[in-house]
Amino acid sequence: MTEPVNLYDLAAPQLEAALAEVVSPVFRIRQVEEWMYARGVDSFDAMSNIPKETRAKLAAHFTLAFPEVLTRTEPAPDGSRKYLLRLADGNRIESVYMPMGERTSICLSSQAGCAVGCTFCVTGFFGAGRNLTPAEMVGQFYAIQHEEQIPMEQMNVVFMGMGEPLLNFEHVVTTLDALYRNLAPRRITLSTSGIIPGIEALARLERRPNLAISINAPDRKRREQIMPITAKYPLERLMAALRRFPLERGRDVTIEYVLLAGFNDAPQDAVALARLIDGLHAKVNAIPFNEDANLPGWMKRPGDAAIDRFVDTLVRNGVRVTVRRSKGRDIAAACGQLRGKEIAKSRATNGREVDARR
Ligand code: SAH
Ligand code: SF4
């Protein structure tokens, strides 16, 4: 028997067609969609205004399952928490809840690992993992919205969790379209390590999320050292693709820059970064490196004085910049670390890795 289709995996036209096979009249189809996207239900039983027989028929053909919440951390001082979720095939992924007053952001994973292999990243350290389905991404969104009881009008989404969203392009686009039912595109940000064909495909979309690029070094040589993907997609070509990327009025590209002590945090590195992004509608998000036992020992988080010097130098060179300074916010910067700890623990107890990757 084939697996039943998860309705959250379907793009709008396919969803309409699938529902039309078992639900009528048309207003009932609208009601089902309302339950799905306005309420984010994960079972047909919850659809109380849909006749019982119709719900039974739906359940016989389809599912609405979400990833299962395994654990969530205690809130950090700023209220943020990390969630560990289990997918139907046993893979584990992370999502992060980040309250920010009237605005709340949820950080979603797009893959169950990452093949890009940045050397400062725990997800990269544990290696490739499969693409998440739209239902698994939409499911992270609703699962956390429900757990934290977040009003929809406060919701923002960042694709900054585990994985490289532009290497899972089709599913990410279906997910974006599902999120747009509730969120304006400007409330969604997609972060990429710089997959140029993906950026170009994103540029061709009618509705685009905000774009964030993990630059992380001020020149090609150092970038390649910590982001081997630079060999495939050179920094110069990446910057050219960013300059071509169509931006709606008032929008900026976010330049993410992980600060590593003694590697890329000197004032002259700030000057070089300012030069690199000159002429781009951009703001820099400086992210002090989050240390982790799985990562190379030489990688250290800079002290506050070095961070201040770096940021001040950017500002003096005309760059707008924000810093993720609070410990709590670090949680988001290093998605993959919670799962990393779990894998490490099971390695220690079993003497082998439980397969959390595949
Ligand atoms: N793959 C995408 C999105 C996920 S990574 C990307 O690379 O952009 C999200 C962000 O976390 C990236 O900007 C990355 O540079 C940052 N990051 C990864 N590991 C980190 C660490 N140990 N400390 C601080 N930031 C980290
Ligand atoms: Fe993958 Fe992003 Fe981590 Fe690089 S920083 S390994 S692209 S998740």
Side-chain angles (χ1 to χ4, degrees), residues 166 169 195-205 237 241 244-245:
L166 294 184
F169 191 78
I195 310 295
I196 296 174
I199 295 169
E200 288 168 343
L202 207 57
R204 289 191 291 270
L205 295 180
R237 277 187 50 213
R244 284 194 303 270
F245 192 79

Side-chain angles (χ1 to χ4, degrees), residues 25 91 221 226 243 261 284 305 317:
N91 264 301
K221 189 160 159 267
I226 55 171
R243 284 176 213 287
V284 168
N317 282 271

